[in-house]
Amino acid sequence: MAAVNGSSDLSSEMEVDAFRRLFPLRYHEYHLLKSVRPDARKLGSARDTTLALGAVASADGSALAKIGSTTMLAAIKMEVMTPTVECPDEGSIAIEFHMPPICSPLVRPGRPAEAAEVISKQLSDTIFSSGMIDLKELCLVGGKAAWMAYLDIYCLDADGALFDAALLSAVAAFSHLNIPVVSLNDDGRIVLVSEDNVRGKLEKEPVNKEKRKLKLNSPPFSLTCILHKNYILADPTAEEESIMETVVTVVLDSYYQLVSLYKPGGPVLAHTSVIQDCVALARRRVKELQNVLNEAISDMEVD
């Protein structure tokens, strides 16, 4: 009898899986009628989120962020540069988002993913417009030397809400950032000070003795939502994004003020009430992400 029941269950699972593949929209709408998602989440709930700081030992700051299966690795490398004439007392930040073929079957070897360039631009716009980093903090010697922060974010698993995970990993990497110690040599040039010299006695006082950590001003966090008919689905998976094409991404700072809102087309109109509902979900999500980041920082300090 048990064998018969087991065979019946297996047959039922295969039928459900076949229906999901053949009629994905109907499959998801069946769940929406019950206000639940195929992964058992409520419509407004995000997936489990984890952060690990210091994931790349060779980087000056790094973080591994996971939202569900979506995985991002962010790493920062600091280099001394000559500041521009227009902004002699400011450093600079260069942001690149990478989608290697391992992250998704949709990404082909030898062809850059279209989404990568879009997300790179979104990240740059968000980080600069949010005012999270005061570029003057990156100045070493006015008009002569400043820091260039190279932020590279690698998507290791692209299972939806890529921008949310990428932004979270970027904020976490800057939170973890330890700026290298530098001093002036006899020629008046900025040189890096090795760790051995930092522990020992330096011939010259470090230029940035008090600037080893960046002060982050109200870091931004985001929530992507899918709009389908009268439903709003928070933190969509890649499958949900491919089936229900209207996406809205809300970016808020740590004070819950709106930084930006992205809606790259889609068949569903985003009325004012819908946008307000998305912002309300984003506010709740910001609280969750702040707690995740604070826990990761606390764990790093304990280690």
Side-chain angles (χ1 to χ4, degrees):
M1 192 69 176
V4 174
N5 289 337
S7 177
S8 176
D9 291 342
L10 180 60
S11 176
S12 177
E13 287 178 13
M14 292 175 65
E15 288 176 3
V16 170
D17 186 58
F19 182 78
R20 183 174 188 168
R21 290 173 179 273
L22 292 171
F23 308 102
L25 183 57
R26 285 173 58 186
Y27 174 81
H28 281 267
E29 287 181 337
Y30 172 79
H31 286 82
L32 292 179
L33 290 172
K34 298 181 178 181
S35 296
V36 71
R37 322 257 286 266
D39 58 8
R41 279 188 292 155
K42 294 180 180 178
L43 303 190
S45 298
R47 293 168 289 177
D48 290 340
T49 303
T50 59
L51 261 181
L53 303 185
V56 182
S58 58
D60 297 311
S62 62
L64 181 71
K66 291 193 70 174
I67 299 179
S69 294
T70 300
T71 307
M72 299 288 169
L73 179 65
I76 302 171
K77 212 54 179 161
M78 304 294 286
E79 288 191 8
V80 177
M81 68 165 196
T82 302
T84 61
V85 176
E86 295 80 9
C87 303
D89 59 345
E90 292 184 0
S92 188
I93 301 170
I95 301 170
E96 285 288 339
F97 179 75
H98 310 270
M99 292 185 69
I102 60 168
C103 76
S104 168
L106 300 178
V107 180
R108 304 302 299 274
R111 296 182 184 178
E114 293 181 9
E117 187 175 344
V118 175
I119 293 176
S120 287
K121 181 72 165 57
Q122 276 184 288
L123 287 168
S124 295
D125 291 345
T126 298
I127 289 174
F128 286 117
S129 65
S130 69
M132 176 178 76
I133 297 173
D134 182 0
L135 295 179
K136 294 184 186 300
E137 290 282 314
L138 296 175
C139 180
L140 289 167
V141 179
K144 293 184 178 181
W147 287 112
M148 165 67 86
Y150 291 96
L151 169 62
D152 286 285
I153 302 173
Y154 294 88
C155 179
L156 305 182
D157 193 337
D159 189 27
L162 303 188
F163 176 76
D164 298 350
L167 181 59
L168 177 61
S169 69
V171 170
F174 276 114
S175 298
H176 174 254
L177 177 63
N178 286 301
I179 299 176
V181 177
V182 293
S183 66
L184 285 170
N185 65 10
D186 294 335
D187 297 328
R189 294 185 178 183
I190 294 289
V191 293
L192 291 175
V193 178
S194 68
E195 287 296 323
D196 293 336
N197 287 336
V198 171
R199 296 189 192 98
K201 203 168 184 180
L202 290 172
E203 294 180 7
K204 294 189 177 182
E205 192 72 12
V207 174
N208 62 332
K209 187 177 181 180
E210 304 299 327
K211 289 187 177 181
R212 297 299 312 283
K213 299 290 288 186
L214 269 184
K215 179 185 177 184
L216 302 186
N217 304 308
S218 189
F221 300 96
S222 65
L223 176 68
T224 296
C225 297
I226 285 281
L227 308 183
H228 182 69
K229 296 183 178 180
N230 296 322
Y231 301 102
I232 300 176
L233 289 74
D235 182 28
T237 62
E239 182 182 14
E240 290 171 334
E241 288 181 344
S242 67
I243 297 166
M244 298 170 275
E245 297 174 351
T246 304
V247 177
V248 173
T249 299
V250 179
V251 183
L252 304 178
D253 64 20
S254 299
Y255 297 109
Y256 311 113
Q257 298 299 306
L258 184 65
V259 174
S260 59
L261 188 145
Y262 299 97
K263 183 184 179 293
V268 178
L269 295 176
H271 297 289
T272 303
S273 60
V274 173
I275 295 299
Q276 289 174 340
D277 290 341
C278 290
V279 171
L281 289 171
R283 283 180 177 156
R284 189 176 72 190
R285 180 59 171 160
V286 167
K287 291 181 182 178
E288 295 174 359
L289 294 177
Q290 284 176 321
N291 290 335
V292 170
L293 178 58
N294 291 334
E295 286 178 11
I297 293 173
S298 297
D299 292 343
M300 193 71 188
E301 289 173 350
V302 169
D303 294 341

